[in-house]
Amino acid sequence: MIGEDRIALAIEMLRKGLDQGKIKARLGKDWEEALEVARARMKAGDKFSRDDLWMDMEGLRYATHEIVARYRAERLKKSGVRSLADVSCGVGIQLIFYAMNLERAYGIDIDLRRIEYARRNAEKYGVGNIEFIVADSLNPGTVERVDAEAVFSDPARPPKAPERNLEGLLPSPLKVYEAYRDKTELFIFDLPPQMRREKVPWEGEFEYIDLNGALNRLTFYSEGLARAERSAVLLPAGVRIKSRTGLEDVVKWTEEVGAYIYEIPPAVAHADLINELFHLLPGNPRMLLRDKRRVIATGDDEIKSEYLKRTYTVIDVVPFHPVRINDVLKKEGFGRATLRISIPDREYWHLRKRIETGLRGDRRAFIFGFKERAIIAESL
């Protein structure tokens, strides 16, 4: 395996903009792996508290954000579980945080290089209570080696699929469950957030996680680990909303835009917890818009709540035409505009350029589309 000095050299050359031929000549043997790890580290950004972790680009794609990994590990610790097997551990980030909070953990992956990366990453975090196993996690011999109270799996997702289902994940949660059901009743599965809940054949909790205002994870907890039927967690704040049976339906709809609009977190919408959310909010919010990209409520009360993604003051509502929008922005002294509408990137930037023509100043407006009208708003 390559060493840290080769990765540091690869990062240095990438930052200098050297072409691949020069990089290959200087790195020599295993230059492709060194380059891949270097690129992954450079792209990881603020996903981890460390900048020296081992992973390739695919490993980075599937690696759990550190904030999410820490939250889920702490949740499992509170449940009283003392040991866990991660049966598709990849480069090991979630596994490592589980191990920090448990007495013993297993990391299983069929890919030797991924296991080596996970082992190195565990050393970086100072974690030494993981038994790493290079094997097919579904093989009976592998299952026999595992002695854990709970099983976790974050299966690979095909890049494109007509519909997300359990059968299309690798390894399939259905197969993981069948392989380990005689070992434990406690299962945790990372699932595609867009997957319909009725596709999952077991009783348990569907926990949708937002990270910095964006939907990040859907975690399924089997019945022995469930705290509710559905829940939404907003990180890094750590706020949680859970489903409540028999709750009075207080959700009302309107087509009239109030003095404020409230952006509802994606996790809350995906978990169908808007009614539970409205019970937690002061004032009298009313639903205005719900589509695939955003969910918006409105009202005349200035509501600042950790349960909301963002609250905006409504500046004006005009026909959705760039000239009309631009006129309002100039009049109100805005210098920039962010469009909260669903259009292709090329059209987005063309429209935004027209809307921002001639603007001056530091104030930023947010433009929402609603029934051929533009809601011009400013974030509180």
Side-chain angles (χ1 to χ4, degrees), residues 6 37 51 53 59 80 107 124-125 160 181 188 192 215 283 324 329 342-343 360 363-364:
R6 303 274 298 286
V37 174
D51 60 4
L53 297 176
K124 298 280 189 182
Y125 281 103
K160 294 182 180 179
R181 62 184 300 182
I188 308 168
L215 185 62
R324 295 290 301 273
L329 298 183
S342 300
I343 57 174
R360 299 287 186 273
R363 292 177 70 191
R364 178 184 294 275

Short mmCIF file of all heavy atoms in Angstrom, two decimals, residues 6 37 51 53 59 80 107 124-125 160 181 188 192 215 283 324 329 342-343 360 363-364:
data_model
loop_
_atom_site.label_atom_id
_atom_site.label_comp_id
_atom_site.label_asym_id
_atom_site.label_seq_id
_atom_site.Cartn_x
_atom_site.Cartn_y
_atom_site.Cartn_z
N ARG A 6 3.46 9.86 -0.57
CA ARG A 6 3.02 9.84 -1.98
C ARG A 6 1.72 10.61 -2.15
O ARG A 6 1.52 11.28 -3.16
CB ARG A 6 2.82 8.38 -2.42
CG ARG A 6 4.05 7.50 -2.26
CD ARG A 6 4.98 7.57 -3.45
NE ARG A 6 4.34 7.10 -4.66
CZ ARG A 6 4.08 5.81 -4.94
NH1 ARG A 6 4.38 4.87 -4.05
NH2 ARG A 6 3.53 5.48 -6.09
N VAL A 37 -6.65 8.77 -4.21
CA VAL A 37 -6.77 9.14 -2.80
C VAL A 37 -6.58 10.65 -2.63
O VAL A 37 -7.31 11.30 -1.87
CB VAL A 37 -5.75 8.36 -1.95
CG1 VAL A 37 -5.78 8.85 -0.49
CG2 VAL A 37 -6.04 6.87 -2.00
N ASP A 51 -8.27 15.73 7.50
CA ASP A 51 -8.01 15.86 6.06
C ASP A 51 -7.00 14.82 5.58
O ASP A 51 -6.43 14.96 4.50
CB ASP A 51 -7.52 17.26 5.72
CG ASP A 51 -6.22 17.64 6.44
OD1 ASP A 51 -5.65 16.77 7.14
OD2 ASP A 51 -5.77 18.80 6.29
N LEU A 53 -7.65 11.27 5.68
CA LEU A 53 -8.30 9.96 5.64
C LEU A 53 -8.03 9.24 4.33
O LEU A 53 -7.70 9.85 3.31
CB LEU A 53 -9.81 10.13 5.86
CG LEU A 53 -10.20 10.71 7.22
CD1 LEU A 53 -11.71 10.92 7.29
CD2 LEU A 53 -9.73 9.81 8.36
N GLY A 59 -15.44 5.62 -2.52
CA GLY A 59 -15.53 5.53 -1.07
C GLY A 59 -15.97 6.84 -0.45
O GLY A 59 -16.77 6.87 0.49
N GLY A 80 -28.58 1.02 24.36
CA GLY A 80 -28.03 -0.05 25.19
C GLY A 80 -27.26 -1.12 24.43
O GLY A 80 -26.74 -2.06 25.03
N GLY A 107 -16.02 -4.98 11.11
CA GLY A 107 -16.10 -4.33 9.80
C GLY A 107 -15.87 -5.35 8.72
O GLY A 107 -14.78 -5.93 8.63
N LYS A 124 -6.36 6.45 12.42
CA LYS A 124 -6.35 7.93 12.43
C LYS A 124 -7.24 8.45 13.56
O LYS A 124 -6.90 9.44 14.23
CB LYS A 124 -6.85 8.47 11.10
CG LYS A 124 -6.01 8.09 9.89
CD LYS A 124 -4.79 8.97 9.76
CE LYS A 124 -4.08 8.71 8.43
NZ LYS A 124 -2.85 9.52 8.30
N TYR A 125 -8.38 7.82 13.77
CA TYR A 125 -9.32 8.27 14.80
C TYR A 125 -9.01 7.67 16.17
O TYR A 125 -9.71 7.95 17.15
CB TYR A 125 -10.75 7.89 14.41
CG TYR A 125 -11.39 8.80 13.40
CD1 TYR A 125 -11.50 8.43 12.07
CD2 TYR A 125 -11.91 10.05 13.77
CE1 TYR A 125 -12.11 9.26 11.13
CE2 TYR A 125 -12.52 10.88 12.85
CZ TYR A 125 -12.61 10.49 11.53
OH TYR A 125 -13.22 11.31 10.61
N LYS A 160 -28.21 4.92 -11.43
CA LYS A 160 -29.49 5.21 -12.06
C LYS A 160 -30.40 3.99 -11.96
O LYS A 160 -30.00 2.88 -12.26
CB LYS A 160 -29.31 5.59 -13.53
CG LYS A 160 -28.54 6.90 -13.74
CD LYS A 160 -28.44 7.23 -15.22
CE LYS A 160 -27.67 8.54 -15.43
NZ LYS A 160 -27.54 8.88 -16.87
N ARG A 181 -30.53 -13.10 10.50
CA ARG A 181 -31.72 -13.08 11.35
C ARG A 181 -31.63 -14.05 12.52
O ARG A 181 -32.26 -13.83 13.56
CB ARG A 181 -32.97 -13.38 10.51
CG ARG A 181 -32.96 -14.76 9.86
CD ARG A 181 -34.16 -14.98 8.97
NE ARG A 181 -35.42 -14.87 9.72
CZ ARG A 181 -36.62 -15.07 9.17
NH1 ARG A 181 -36.72 -15.32 7.86
NH2 ARG A 181 -37.69 -14.99 9.91
N ILE A 188 -30.09 -2.21 11.29
CA ILE A 188 -30.08 -0.80 10.88
C ILE A 188 -29.67 -0.77 9.41
O ILE A 188 -28.59 -1.28 9.06
CB ILE A 188 -29.09 0.03 11.72
CG1 ILE A 188 -29.33 -0.18 13.21
CG2 ILE A 188 -29.19 1.50 11.34
CD1 ILE A 188 -28.22 0.38 14.07
N PRO A 192 -32.06 4.56 0.34
CA PRO A 192 -32.23 5.78 -0.47
C PRO A 192 -33.39 6.61 0.08
O PRO A 192 -34.48 6.07 0.28
CB PRO A 192 -32.54 5.24 -1.87
CG PRO A 192 -32.00 3.85 -1.88
CD PRO A 192 -32.17 3.34 -0.48
N LEU A 215 -31.59 17.10 2.58
CA LEU A 215 -31.86 15.71 2.96
C LEU A 215 -30.60 14.88 2.73
O LEU A 215 -30.04 14.86 1.63
CB LEU A 215 -33.02 15.17 2.12
CG LEU A 215 -33.51 13.76 2.47
CD1 LEU A 215 -34.04 13.72 3.90
CD2 LEU A 215 -34.60 13.33 1.49
N GLY A 283 -47.99 30.70 16.44
CA GLY A 283 -48.70 31.41 15.39
C GLY A 283 -49.67 30.53 14.63
O GLY A 283 -50.12 29.49 15.13
N ARG A 324 -40.49 42.59 -14.12
CA ARG A 324 -41.28 42.98 -12.94
C ARG A 324 -40.51 42.70 -11.65
O ARG A 324 -40.52 43.49 -10.71
CB ARG A 324 -42.62 42.23 -12.94
CG ARG A 324 -43.55 42.58 -14.09
CD ARG A 324 -44.08 44.00 -13.94
NE ARG A 324 -44.82 44.18 -12.71
CZ ARG A 324 -46.13 43.92 -12.59
NH1 ARG A 324 -46.82 43.45 -13.62
NH2 ARG A 324 -46.76 44.14 -11.45
N LEU A 329 -36.75 44.67 -7.08
CA LEU A 329 -35.44 44.54 -6.45
C LEU A 329 -34.68 45.86 -6.47
O LEU A 329 -34.02 46.24 -5.49
CB LEU A 329 -34.63 43.44 -7.13
CG LEU A 329 -35.21 42.02 -7.05
CD1 LEU A 329 -34.26 41.02 -7.70
CD2 LEU A 329 -35.50 41.61 -5.62
N SER A 342 -37.52 25.46 -9.69
CA SER A 342 -36.97 24.24 -10.29
C SER A 342 -36.89 24.40 -11.81
O SER A 342 -37.87 24.22 -12.52
CB SER A 342 -37.86 23.03 -9.94
OG SER A 342 -37.92 22.86 -8.54
N ILE A 343 -35.69 24.77 -12.30
CA ILE A 343 -35.45 24.87 -13.73
C ILE A 343 -34.04 24.35 -14.00
O ILE A 343 -33.19 24.33 -13.11
CB ILE A 343 -35.59 26.31 -14.25
CG1 ILE A 343 -34.65 27.27 -13.50
CG2 ILE A 343 -37.03 26.79 -14.14
CD1 ILE A 343 -34.64 28.67 -14.06
N ARG A 360 -27.65 46.95 -7.39
CA ARG A 360 -26.52 47.43 -6.60
C ARG A 360 -26.82 47.19 -5.12
O ARG A 360 -27.95 47.32 -4.68
CB ARG A 360 -26.30 48.94 -6.82
CG ARG A 360 -25.98 49.34 -8.26
CD ARG A 360 -24.56 48.91 -8.65
NE ARG A 360 -24.21 49.42 -9.98
CZ ARG A 360 -24.50 48.78 -11.11
NH1 ARG A 360 -25.14 47.61 -11.05
NH2 ARG A 360 -24.16 49.28 -12.27
N ARG A 363 -27.76 43.49 -0.17
CA ARG A 363 -28.93 42.70 0.25
C ARG A 363 -29.22 41.61 -0.78
O ARG A 363 -29.12 41.82 -1.98
CB ARG A 363 -30.16 43.60 0.39
CG ARG A 363 -30.09 44.58 1.54
CD ARG A 363 -31.31 45.48 1.55
NE ARG A 363 -32.53 44.76 1.92
CZ ARG A 363 -33.75 45.28 1.80
NH1 ARG A 363 -33.92 46.51 1.29
NH2 ARG A 363 -34.81 44.58 2.18
N ARG A 364 -29.58 40.43 -0.27
CA ARG A 364 -29.92 39.30 -1.15
C ARG A 364 -31.40 39.00 -1.06
O ARG A 364 -31.95 38.84 0.04
CB ARG A 364 -29.12 38.05 -0.76
CG ARG A 364 -29.47 36.82 -1.62
CD ARG A 364 -28.74 35.57 -1.16
NE ARG A 364 -27.32 35.69 -1.34
CZ ARG A 364 -26.70 35.40 -2.48
NH1 ARG A 364 -27.40 35.00 -3.54
NH2 ARG A 364 -25.39 35.52 -2.58
#
